[in-house]
Structure formats: structure tokens, C-alpha cells
């Protein structure tokens, strides 16, 4: 495990276990759910939208990824061009 992975796992441990990004019985966001987001994502509007949906969002300096949804799921947001460049054979 890399140090970045270990750091993300430590951060994810602050989220409510087994509740991150899962809906409650009514289909709405579980108010105990939490999402860590990289502070650079604040201007994207996504953290505000997640907060409006009832999720607890917390800014953090993430060593990997843009959003930590659980101890097993980290999301990296990319533009189409960035995605194509990252998977293109060189």
C-alpha cells in the first residue's frame, strides 16, 4: 500500500461506516452519510449540490482522488480530454 492510499484510508475512516453515499429507506440521502472532497473541487459546485441533497461534505487535502465516498471508493473527476489522455497508449 502506498502512503497516499494509507492516507486516504485514514481520512475515510472519519466517515460514517457503511453509510457513505447510500440512500436511506425513503430513497433520500442518509443524513449520516459523508463525503470528503478535495478543497480544489469547491468551485465545481459538486460539493454544494451534495450538501443540498443532504450529505455531509467535508473539505480536505486529499493525496489521491477528488472525492472519498467510503474506505473503498475514491472518485477522480476528469474532463473527457484528460480521461482520453490518461488511457491513451504512449
Amino acid at each position: 500500500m502506498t502512503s497516499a492510499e494509507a492516507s486516504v484510508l485514514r481520512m475515510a475512516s472519519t466517515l460514517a461506516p457503511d453509510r457513505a453515499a447510500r440512500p436511506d429507506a425513503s430513497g433520500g440521502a442518509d443524513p449520516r452519510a459523508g463525503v470528503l472532497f478535495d478543497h480544489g473541487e469547491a468551485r465545481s459546485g459538486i460539493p454544494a449540490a451534495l450538501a443540498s441533497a443532504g450529505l455531509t461534505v467535508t473539505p480536505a487535502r486529499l493525496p489521491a482522488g477528488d472525492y472519498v465516498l467510503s474506505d473503498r471508493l475514491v472518485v477522480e473527476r476528469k474532463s473527457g480530454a484528460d480521461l482520453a489522455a490518461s488511457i491513451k497508449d504512449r
Side-chain angles (χ1 to χ4, degrees):
M1 175 180 304
T2 68
S3 63
E5 291 168 333
S7 181
V8 168
L9 284 175
R10 280 192 303 278
M11 290 178 181
S13 70
T14 66
L15 300 173
D18 299 323
R19 298 200 186 283
R22 292 188 183 169
D24 64 12
S26 68
D30 185 329
R32 297 168 292 181
V35 176
L36 297 174
F37 68 93
D38 189 81
H39 60 86
E41 287 293 305
R43 292 181 12 201
S44 73
I46 294 172
L50 294 172
S52 293
L55 294 170
T56 301
V57 292
T58 306
R61 180 166 294 189
L62 300 178
D66 294 318
Y67 299 90
V68 176
L69 305 180
S70 76
D71 62 344
R72 296 173 39 169
L73 183 60
V74 176
V75 175
E76 173 74 27
R77 193 170 69 94
K78 289 186 173 275
S79 70
D82 286 343
L83 177 61
S86 68
I87 60 175
K88 182 180 176 182
D89 289 336
R90 294 178 186 214

